[in-house]
Amino acid sequence: KGFIDGLTDKIVLKDLGATFLTDLVGNLTMPGLDSQASATWESEVATNDESSSTLRKVSMSPKRVGTFVDVSKQLLAQSSFSVEMWLRNHLQLKTAIAVQVAAINGSGSSNQPTGILNTSGIGSVVGGTNGLAPTWAHLVKLEEEVAVDNADMGSLGYLTNAKVRSILKQTKLDAGSGLFIWSQFEKDAPLNGYKTGITNSVPSTLDKGSSTGVCSAILFGNFSDLYIGQWGGIDLVVNPYTKAKEATVEIIINSWWDIGVARPQSFAAMVDALTV
């Protein structure tokens, strides 16, 4: 029998359409338009009106995420399966979860990338002074926040956590149809006709007013505009020397990542959704 693994957050960003940039070398800078030029109608020989655009850039640079575990040589010798291989896979999964958490809610400080929720310029939908249970109107407003900026294209979808899914399954769409906000019938597009990622990497301990540590986030957007960059591969080191006197082996993992949001207008979030 194999080892019974622990339970972890679901990995969902790839399925939602996030753009992965691998084998990067050096810092990455991608220019983009902040405001666009415009064309105007003119008379036959009039001088054209001047129109200017402003540029911005999305910059990404490697940030290290890593950890290590100790395993006794006795466990390695006694096991009937490859503990070392299982631990390697486990550490790679934990790295993927750390990158996902950063992509969603990275603070941009303390060596973390800046995630979607902390990116300046994304759309905002507010529940209430002290938060509010999410409604159909909130979900539609998230879609509108993206659409009014002409950013409703690409890989559109919602992203939230299990607590929000539970409350939406129990919240009626309206008074008379017998339907709920979370569709019982559309398995592939259960929210407002869009695919929806559910992972507990989406925070559920946010604050709003007197609602401390109980608010959840709901995101909507074009997830192909979420760039996840990786420099090099996964660096795995098996070190049998440092703790040889304790008959212990260290398995160490390091990798280098950053997060970039190509267009802030491509995302909108509600960060005060109450589920209790």
Side-chain angles (χ1 to χ4, degrees):
K1 296 293 184 179
F3 198 87
I4 299 173
D5 206 345
L7 299 174
T8 61
D9 296 349
K10 292 182 175 65
I11 303 295
V12 300
L13 293 181
K14 184 176 181 179
D15 288 341
L16 283 171
T19 300
F20 285 80
L21 308 172
T22 58
D23 298 322
L24 297 176
V25 177
N27 294 340
L28 179 65
T29 300
M30 294 169 285
L33 284 175
D34 220 10
S35 65
Q36 300 186 46
S38 59
T40 56
W41 294 98
E42 309 285 2
S43 63
E44 181 179 359
V45 294
T47 302
N48 286 351
D49 290 335
E50 181 181 2
S51 177
S52 60
S53 58
T54 58
L55 298 176
R56 61 180 177 85
K57 62 182 180 180
V58 176
S59 299
M60 300 172 68
S61 59
K63 297 167 179 62
R64 182 168 66 94
V65 59
T67 188
F68 75 93
V69 294
D70 290 338
V71 58
S72 71
K73 291 186 177 180
Q74 180 173 322
L75 177 59
L76 293 173
Q78 284 184 319
S79 298
S80 58
F81 73 105
S82 176
V83 172
E84 181 182 318
M85 183 58 67
W86 172 80
L87 283 171
R88 291 184 185 206
N89 293 337
H90 179 74
L91 292 178
Q92 290 186 69
L93 174 60
K94 290 301 183 180
T95 296
I97 292 169
V99 172
Q100 177 170 268
V101 169
I104 296 168
N105 195 36
S107 66
S109 61
S110 301
N111 304 314
Q112 292 184 24
T114 301
I116 297 171
L117 293 179
N118 292 304
T119 296
S120 177
I122 69 168
S124 175
V125 172
V126 178
T129 302
N130 300 307
L132 202 66
T135 65
W136 176 251
H138 293 134
L139 295 174
V140 173
K141 189 67 176 177
L142 286 170
E143 177 191 31
E144 178 190 340
E145 283 292 310
V146 173
V148 294
D149 289 325
N150 297 321
D152 54 336
M153 55 186 175
S155 187
L156 295 169
Y158 288 93
L159 174 63
T160 190
N161 59 44
K163 291 182 178 180
V164 171
R165 177 177 61 186
S166 178
I167 200 72
L168 294 179
K169 283 188 171 185
Q170 301 173 67
T171 304
K172 291 183 177 179
L173 183 64
D174 53 40
S177 68
L179 300 175
F180 293 84
I181 294 177
W182 187 279
S183 174
Q184 307 102 298
F185 309 107
E186 298 294 334
K187 300 296 183 183
D188 296 328
L191 284 187
N192 194 19
Y194 294 98
K195 60 185 175 182
T196 304
I198 299 296
T199 177
N200 291 325
S201 294
V202 176
S204 61
T205 57
L206 303 173
D207 302 331
K208 183 65 178 293
S210 62
S211 299
T212 304
V214 294
C215 296
S216 288
I218 308 172
L219 300 86
F220 177 80
N222 170 19
F223 282 88
S224 61
D225 271 353
L226 173 63
Y227 292 168
I228 300 176
Q230 182 184 9
W231 283 258
I234 302 293
D235 182 54
L236 270 165
V237 176
V238 179
N239 174 17
Y241 305 110
T242 301
K243 297 186 177 181
K245 290 181 179 179
E246 292 86 32
T248 298
V249 175
E250 286 183 335
I251 300 178
I252 308 161
I253 188 169
N254 284 291
S255 54
W256 291 263
W257 306 79
D258 201 8
I259 306 301
V261 173
R263 286 179 284 243
Q265 301 92 329
S266 292
F267 293 94
M270 177 183 183
V271 294
D272 62 350
L274 295 181
T275 60
V276 293

